[in-house]
């Protein structure tokens, strides 16, 4: 007796090719990535399924892990001629409830040293596994000649009982760099507000990746960035080339993971070792943005998003016009970073208070 799933697949194969492909598109890439065996019903089925699964590959953190564990079930390298875009959704460590409760003293330091050692060991091991999965995924995407778009979104939701413990940074340079070092890449979207980049699992110092991103400015058409550490080097292309085909650039300095404006503000900080406060970093970034914009052949959008302190209003600087736009909470929640807001005509209406420097510095030290 045939397996019900196989019988259903065989019935679907009797449909016209266009109809079958449309049905599989409705299932989406996640349907196949969650269980790689769904690709292997038969050779005819595989030819249709791979177009859906890998043309626009959209992976959650859990799906990535399952996919990498099933690496030997199917030779994923056979799919290299299919993939055109990669979207990766990372959420950080998930098994917090399995960890011991950490009691903290008045200074926010853990009292239970044994529990703290166990926690650090578990987090480091998990981070190393994630790095391995990302490197394995990179070996696939680097061999995809049609791949043009890479998007990585990394959030970090930590239970309240662990909030007094230092943030768990789970992204490493060896895990991320190969994903952005793809030939023929035209669109790069890195929303890494949930983690700094470490040199290795368990490391405590963030890594300076801005020059590696800047090296892509000569080939990219679109760039969107939100990183915990950033500096003007990210907008400095090699050899100061002009006539760049880059047309859209958006830098988001707002690290508020929830889509609410009226909350405590969190900003990107200057890259480690530069010794710049937020205002100094932002000023340098804006100056370099103007230089880069002048080197772009046909610039369409160039925005820098940041919070106005202490009102917690979100502003968007249009580098091409020099005007600031006020983004309302509704715009920020339901529209992308390039949304237009109300233009602030008078520069005197936008006075960024000096407190932002001390606030950003104290926030950085608290982490």
């Amino acid at each position: 007796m045939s397996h019900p799933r196989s019988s259903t697949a065989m019935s679907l194969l009797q449909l016209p090719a266009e109809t079958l492909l449309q049905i599989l598109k409705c299932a989406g890439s996640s349907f196949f990535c969650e269980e790689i065996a769904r690709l292997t019903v038969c050779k005819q089925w595989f030819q249709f399924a791979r177009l859906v699964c890998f043309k626009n590959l959209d992976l959650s953190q859990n799906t990535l892990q399952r996919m990498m564990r099933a690496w030997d079930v199917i030779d994923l390298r056979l799919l290299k001629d299919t993939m055109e875009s990669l979207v990766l959704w990372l959420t950080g460590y998930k098994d917090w409830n399995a960890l011991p409760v950490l009691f903290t003293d008045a200074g926010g330091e853990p009292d239970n040293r044994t529990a703290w050692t166990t926690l650090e060991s578990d987090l480091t091991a998990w981070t190393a596994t994630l790095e391995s999965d990302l490197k394995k995924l990179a070996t696939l995407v680097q061999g995809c000649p049609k791949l043009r778009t890479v998007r990585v979104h990394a959030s970090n939701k930590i239970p309240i009982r662990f909030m007094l413990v230092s943030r768990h940074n789970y992204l490493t340079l060896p895990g991320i760099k190969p994903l952005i070092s793809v030939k023929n890449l035209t669109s790069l979207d890195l929303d890494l507000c949930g983690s700094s980049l470490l040199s290795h699992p368990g490391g405590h110092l963030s890594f300076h990746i801005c020059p590696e991103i800047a090296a892509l400015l000569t080939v990219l058409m679109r760039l969107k960035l939100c990183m915990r550490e950033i500096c003007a080097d990210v907008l400095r292309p090699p050899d100061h080339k002009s006539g760049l085909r880059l047309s859209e650039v958006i830098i988001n300095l707002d690290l508020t993971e929830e889509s609410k404006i009226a909350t405590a503000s969190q900003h990107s900080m200057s890259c480690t070792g530069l010794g710049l406060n937020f205002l100094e970093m932002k000023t340098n970034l804006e100056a370099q943005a103007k230089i880069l914009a002048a080197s772009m052949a046909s610039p369409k959008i160039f925005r820098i998003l940041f919070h106005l302190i202490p009102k917690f209003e979100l502003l968007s600087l249009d580098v091409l016009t020099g005007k600031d736009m006020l983004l309302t909470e509704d715009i920020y929640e339901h529209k992308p970073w390039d949304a237009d807001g109300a233009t602030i005509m008078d520069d005197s209406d936008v006075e960024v208070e000096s407190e932002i420097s001390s606030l950003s510095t104290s926030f950085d030290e608290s982490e």
Side-chain angles (χ1 to χ4, degrees), residues 115-274:
W116 174 244
T117 300
T118 301
L119 172 59
E120 283 195 316
S121 177
D122 289 347
L123 293 180
T124 299
W126 181 90
T127 302
T129 300
L130 176 64
E131 179 187 88
S132 177
D133 289 342
L134 292 175
K135 290 166 70 174
K136 189 177 290 188
L137 177 63
T139 63
L140 168 64
V141 302
Q142 287 182 341
C144 297
K146 294 182 180 180
L147 182 60
R148 297 292 182 272
T149 300
V150 170
R151 179 184 180 189
V152 182
H153 181 278
S155 60
N156 196 346
K157 298 184 182 297
I158 302 177
I160 295 178
R161 65 192 180 104
F162 288 94
M163 284 298 185
L164 292 178
V165 180
S166 298
R167 167 181 293 274
H168 171 226
N169 293 309
Y170 61 90
L171 294 180
T172 63
L173 182 70
I176 293 297
K177 185 178 178 180
L179 290 175
I180 68 176
S181 303
V182 178
K183 292 182 179 180
N184 304 317
L185 193 66
T186 61
S187 179
L188 178 62
D189 183 344
L190 296 180
D191 186 355
L192 310 182
C193 64
S195 175
S196 297
L197 281 178
L198 306 176
S199 59
H200 62 279
H204 297 288
L205 296 178
S206 58
F207 196 89
H208 186 46
I209 195 176
C210 292
E212 279 80 2
I213 297 176
L216 302 173
L217 296 177
T218 57
V219 296
L220 290 177
M221 297 179 66
R222 289 171 293 278
L223 175 65
K224 294 177 64 177
L225 293 176
C226 181
M227 304 192 299
R228 300 197 69 81
E229 290 84 24
I230 195 170
C231 69
D233 287 347
V234 79
L235 298 179
R236 188 171 289 116
D239 303 326
H240 304 286
K241 291 186 177 181
S242 60
L244 300 176
R245 63 173 182 170
L246 186 67
S247 62
E248 299 180 16
V249 179
I250 302 178
I251 308 295
N252 189 353
L253 302 180
D254 168 42
L255 297 180
T256 307
E257 294 184 31
E258 294 77 15
S259 298
K260 298 290 184 181
I261 289 182
T263 58
S265 177
Q266 299 182 29
H267 278 284
S268 300
M269 301 302 297
S270 176
C271 290
T272 303
L274 298 182

Side-chain angles (χ1 to χ4, degrees), residues 6-17 20-21 23-24 41-49:
S6 299
S7 299
T8 301
M10 294 306 175
S11 299
L12 288 173
L13 288 173
Q14 298 174 6
L15 296 172
L20 175 57
L21 190 58
I23 292 175
L24 295 182
V41 174
C42 66
K43 290 183 178 180
Q44 184 181 358
W45 173 268
F46 175 74
Q47 294 305 317
F48 289 99

